[in-house]
Amino acid sequence: MRSADLLRLISLAAIWGASFLFMRVLAPVVGVLWSAEVRVGLAGIALLAMMLITGRAMNFRENWKSFLILGTINSALPFALYSYAALSIPAGYSAIVNATSPLWGAVMGAAFLGEQLTLRKMAGMATGVLGVAFLVRLGPVEFNSTLVLAVLACVGATLCYAIVGIYTKKKLTGLTSMQMATGSQVGAAFVLLPFLPLAPVQGEITATIAMVGIALALLCSAVAYLIYFRLMADLGPTKALTVTFLIPLFALLWGYLFLNEHITMNTAIGCAGVVLATWLVVFQPAPKTT
């Protein structure tokens, strides 16, 4: 891996790790739905501007249904669920559960795409479940119904990402990565819009809150997508997925530095279990040739 690619990988992990910190700050003030809407709305505008500047077409007339479905599953629901979780659990918790996305992707791939569910993948999924269970039961946050609901919300978000993987492979083969990224943000903004009157802002919109919202949208969605697609082009999808291992580490670090969230030995053990599980699922040994 070139030094430039390594720098992009670490930068992307730091940015996506910070997204959980930003949601932890933003959601209690503006609410769950507004937190998600701010993120997808501003990101969608920025990505649309990028598409116009670079002369790439979105073809909304042909693809608007796909963009609404993609936006719902890939952005609106996951961002709302993570924002709900941010109301009650540390940023590191959400990021650690988020790292299980490839595990659910393996389950969905086996169920709907006929992909092989190997012993290695099954061992990875079992390890991931144990890692999350260990974190929830023995982590620094008191074990109660609020914690369980918040973690289940994060699990729901990861399931959405797994479903998106199936949907894009089956239905969106004609769209480019940038069309899907932009369309998902724009589609999510339209999906969330009718529900916003039911979710009034909870607190005062200060300059700090405004900057956090802008950073969450422009940095953690728009800029992050551009970095990720560059990594996909330069390294391929498997190596680009190594960012999944680093996100929880940065989320734990940012939460510790800026929100005084505790990092205990049990937190580290739970995080290590999930990272190991993801590695087992993502990096499959090459088949032996005869």
Side-chain angles (χ1 to χ4, degrees), residues 90 93 96 131-143 147 262-270:
Y93 270 57
I96 290 169
V132 172
F134 187 93
L135 177 71
V136 170
R137 193 67 184 88
L138 300 175
V141 177
E142 180 185 356
F143 180 75
L147 170 62
H262 298 294
I263 302 176
T264 65
M265 181 59 69
N266 288 338
T267 305
I269 292 172

Side-chain angles (χ1 to χ4, degrees), residues 14-240:
I15 289 170
W16 271 340
S19 70
F20 296 97
L21 170 74
F22 293 149
M23 284 187 285
R24 187 86 167 111
V25 174
L26 189 65
V29 177
V30 304
V32 170
L33 295 183
W34 272 105
S35 183
E37 177 69 10
V38 166
R39 181 173 186 177
V40 297
L42 293 180
I45 292 170
L47 289 170
L48 271 177
M50 176 67 69
M51 295 291 283
L52 288 172
I53 292 170
T54 56
R56 286 180 277 190
M58 287 297 299
N59 299 324
F60 281 111
R61 181 173 297 180
E62 298 88 350
N63 299 317
W64 67 272
K65 289 183 181 178
S66 297
F67 290 152
L68 285 178
I69 295 171
L70 184 63
T72 300
I73 306 172
N74 186 63
S75 298
L77 272 176
F79 292 169
L81 288 169
Y82 279 127
S83 295
Y84 170 78
L87 296 176
S88 54
I89 61 174
Y93 270 57
S94 296
I96 290 169
V97 180
N98 176 71
T100 65
S101 296
L103 312 186
W104 299 113
V107 173
M108 292 294 178
F112 297 102
L113 297 178
E115 296 177 355
Q116 186 178 6
L117 198 59
T118 63
L119 286 175
R120 182 186 176 98
K121 287 183 179 179
M122 289 188 286
M125 286 183 283
T127 304
V129 170
L130 288 174
V132 172
F134 187 93
L135 177 71
V136 170
R137 193 67 184 88
L138 300 175
V141 177
E142 180 185 356
F143 180 75
N144 53 35
S145 59
T146 301
L147 170 62
V148 172
L149 287 174
V151 171
L152 287 176
C154 294
V155 172
T158 63
L159 281 170
C160 287
Y161 292 142
I163 294 169
V164 164
I166 304 300
Y167 179 70
T168 54
K169 287 181 181 179
K170 282 184 169 289
K171 300 293 185 180
L172 304 183
T173 52
L175 296 178
T176 67
S177 297
M178 280 303 298
Q179 283 177 322
M180 286 190 284
T182 306
S184 70
Q185 301 305 290
V186 174
F190 278 102
V191 166
L192 289 168
L193 196 60
F195 301 99
L196 296 180
L198 305 176
V201 173
Q202 304 294 312
E204 181 184 359
I205 308 298
T206 63
T208 299
I209 293 299
M211 287 189 293
V212 167
I214 292 170
L216 180 62
L218 300 186
L219 182 63
C220 300
S221 287
V223 172
Y225 272 127
L226 297 176
I227 297 174
Y228 183 65
F229 290 135
R230 176 63 184 271
L231 284 171
M232 290 274 284
D234 291 348
L235 301 179
T238 301
K239 287 185 178 180

